[in-house]
Amino acid sequence: MLEILAPAIRIMILWAFTRFATLGYLTPENATTLTKVAMDVLMYGAPLAYAWWAARQVAKERAK
């Protein structure tokens, strides 16, 4: 059962992370520009990296 729900749980965790990031909870108002840019890169990069990883896992399973 957990194997079925795991992808949805991961997506919800990434969604919550990006939601907190866009609301400013993870980057304070007085943060430097570099910190804000790094947070934006992480916010957009994390879901893309996960999607790439998940696609590779599925491709490996199908190759077997």
Side-chain angles (χ1 to χ4, degrees):
M1 182 70 170
L2 186 60
E3 293 170 358
I4 295 170
L5 295 176
I9 292 169
R10 288 186 204 125
I11 290 168
M12 293 303 292
I13 289 171
L14 280 172
W15 174 81
F17 172 75
T18 56
R19 187 68 185 141
F20 282 128
T22 57
L23 291 174
Y25 291 132
L26 301 178
T27 307
E29 291 288 327
N30 59 354
T32 64
T33 303
L34 179 61
T35 304
K36 290 180 182 179
V37 169
M39 193 65 205
D40 286 342
V41 168
L42 184 61
M43 181 183 74
Y44 293 117
L48 291 175
Y50 172 71
W52 175 78
W53 175 81
R56 276 192 62 170
Q57 293 297 97
V58 169
K60 283 182 185 178
E61 288 296 321
R62 288 189 180 175
K64 289 182 181 180

